[in-house]
């Protein structure tokens, strides 16, 4: 409830008054890198990308990572080392609230990537962990003010399911099985107005054909670029940038709120997000 109240006020200022134009936020947009700019540098930075900021007794460390489910990834050992050395009062993860308790570090990473590791470490140190993301239900509600449900559904399925699947994020499970589970858990339960025609993968393929003008191929192909937020001149890339800025603004609001009551805060998020908000974090810590 604490965050629901604060986030609602923040969103009224950042997005609703500007019809989610993302241009009126003094707290984020004026003091950030654009996601097109982020796209030009994100492949050249060392990961995890670490921002370490301190002002008096207030200390913030933000780690930008490439999401990994591999416990032998060098990023995992750096996140662990940073946590143990920093001993934060509070940690913030990407991707929703994590309620599960993990028996081992390996299990945590293999099931919930670096966010699982952060949960495992936080549990071991009795450190509170909070979700730094916007709730999906609220994101959908706000994004639907700007985009049609057809365009949003197409973008979210491609960005959150198809592209990660093609990059090996979901193992060897049949895509149709993954689609059915994602539809119920990620969309229907979160209040997205799912059209009855999208109830199975065949319906989604029909939507893709209508919007893109050709069939969907479950392969890594040039169409992927048409859903990548770093590309400047494509419809669904713009949808992605709006979603990213919305989520970043929520993250900044939560960091700002927690730094008022905790001296040491550690954040682990995707490195594109951390690169985008770096300047805003520096402005925040100077105040």
């Amino acid at each position: 409830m604490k965050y629901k109240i604060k986030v609602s006020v923040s969103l009224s200022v950042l997005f609703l008054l500007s019809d989610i134009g993302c241009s009126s936020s003094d707290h984020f947009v004026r003091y950030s890198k654009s996601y097109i700019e982020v796209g030009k540098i994100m492949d050249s930075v060392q990961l995890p990308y670490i921002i370490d900021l301190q002002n008096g007794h207030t200390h913030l460390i933000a780690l930008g990572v490439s999401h990994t489910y591999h416990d032998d990834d060098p990023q995992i050992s750096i996140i662990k080392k940073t946590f143990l050395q920093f001993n934060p009062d509070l940690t913030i993860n990407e991707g929703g609230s994590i309620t599960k308790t993990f028996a081992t570090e390996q299990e945590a990473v293999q099931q919930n990537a670096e966010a699982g590791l952060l949960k495992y470490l936080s549990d071991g140190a009795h450190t509170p962990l909070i979700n730094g993301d916007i709730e999906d239900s609220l994101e959908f509600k706000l994004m639907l003010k700007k985009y049609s449900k057809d365009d949003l559904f197409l973008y979210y399925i491609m960005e959150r399911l198809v592209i990660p699947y093609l990059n090996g994020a979901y193992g060897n499970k049949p895509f149709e099985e993954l689609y059915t589970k994602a539809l119920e858990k990620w969309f229907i339960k979160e209040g997205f107005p799912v059209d009855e025609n999208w109830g199975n993968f065949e319906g989604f393929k029909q939507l893709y054909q209508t919007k893109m003008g050709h069939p969907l191929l479950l392969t890594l192909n040039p169409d992927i670029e048409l859903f990548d937020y770093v590309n400047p001149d494509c419809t669904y890339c713009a949808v992605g940038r709006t979603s990213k800025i919305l989520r970043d603004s929520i993250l900044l609001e939560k960091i700002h709120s927690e730094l008022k009551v905790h001296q040491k805060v550690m954040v682990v998020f995707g490195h594109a997000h951390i690169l985008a908000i770096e300047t805003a974090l520096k402005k925040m810590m100077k105040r």
Side-chain angles (χ1 to χ4, degrees):
M1 183 63 66
K2 168 183 170 186
Y3 291 119
K4 186 174 182 180
I5 295 171
K6 291 182 178 179
V7 168
S8 295
V9 173
S10 176
L11 286 173
S12 295
V13 175
L14 301 183
F15 296 100
L16 297 182
L17 293 180
S18 60
D19 196 24
I20 320 183
C22 302
S23 61
S24 64
S25 168
D26 289 337
H27 300 292
F28 175 63
V29 177
R30 284 178 53 197
Y31 303 124
S32 68
K33 295 183 181 73
S34 74
Y35 269 93
I36 295 173
E37 183 181 0
V38 166
K40 294 176 181 178
I41 62 175
M42 62 184 296
D43 291 335
S44 64
V45 299
Q46 184 175 349
L47 299 179
Y49 185 76
I50 302 176
I51 300 173
D52 190 333
L53 303 170
Q54 192 165 6
N55 186 345
H57 296 295
T58 304
H59 196 170
L60 170 69
I61 294 182
L63 290 85
V65 301
S66 174
H67 302 305
T68 178
Y69 289 83
H70 301 289
D71 59 281
D72 59 350
D73 189 309
Q75 295 179 103
I76 296 301
S77 61
I78 294 174
I79 294 170
K80 181 178 179 180
K81 181 180 179 180
T82 302
F83 180 93
L84 295 175
Q85 290 181 343
F86 185 38
N87 189 26
D89 300 323
L90 176 108
T91 52
I92 302 178
N93 71 275
E94 180 179 0
S97 298
I98 304 174
T99 57
K100 182 173 181 178
T101 299
F102 300 102
T104 66
E105 178 181 316
Q106 182 181 46
E107 177 190 36
V109 176
Q110 290 179 352
Q111 292 190 15
N112 272 80
E114 73 285 340
L117 173 68
L118 199 60
K119 177 65 161 61
Y120 176 78
L121 295 171
S122 298
D123 284 349
H126 304 290
T127 301
L129 170 71
I130 68 168
N131 169 34
D133 255 325
I134 186 173
E135 297 297 330
D136 283 339
S137 57
L138 182 54
E139 177 174 349
F140 294 155
K141 180 179 179 180
L142 293 172
M143 292 288 282
L144 284 162
K145 293 179 179 291
K146 186 174 180 64
Y147 301 103
S148 73
K149 70 175 184 177
D150 291 16
D151 285 333
L152 282 180
F153 188 72
L154 176 58
Y155 170 77
Y156 283 128
I157 288 291
M158 292 299 296
E159 192 262 346
R160 298 183 180 185
L161 188 63
V162 174
I163 295 173
Y165 171 80
L166 295 176
N167 283 286
Y170 301 120
N172 297 318
K173 293 182 179 179
F175 186 82
E176 291 82 354
E177 177 185 336
L178 292 170
Y179 179 87
T180 300
K181 291 181 178 179
L183 187 71
E184 176 64 30
K185 183 177 181 180
W186 297 353
F187 294 93
I188 295 175
K189 285 188 175 180
E190 295 296 330
F192 192 93
V194 175
D195 192 286
E196 62 180 2
N197 295 329
W198 307 334
N200 54 56
F201 183 44
E202 287 301 317
F204 175 75
K205 289 195 292 186
Q206 292 175 11
L207 173 65
Y208 187 96
Q209 170 88 44
T210 299
K211 290 290 185 177
M212 305 302 293
H214 54 264
L216 170 67
L217 298 175
L218 280 180
T219 61
L220 289 172
N221 61 77
D223 272 11
I224 301 301
E225 296 297 318
L226 301 178
F227 296 89
D228 191 336
Y229 56 84
V230 305
N231 295 321
D233 298 319
C234 43
T235 298
Y236 295 103
C237 307
V239 175
R241 286 192 290 274
T242 303
S243 173
K244 291 288 188 293
I245 293 173
L246 174 57
R247 293 173 59 202
D248 288 347
S249 297
I250 294 301
L251 174 59
L252 282 169
E253 175 71 16
K254 291 185 178 183
I255 293 172
H256 182 259
S257 176
E258 293 303 333
L259 286 172
K260 292 179 179 179
V261 292
H262 297 286
Q263 290 187 346
K264 297 195 296 181
V265 172
M266 178 174 168
V267 180
V268 180
F269 250 68
H271 67 298
H273 293 284
I274 298 302
L275 285 167
I277 68 173
E278 180 175 11
T279 305
L281 289 175
K282 291 177 178 177
K283 292 280 185 179
M284 180 191 299
M285 290 295 289
K286 286 181 179 179
R287 295 173 181 171

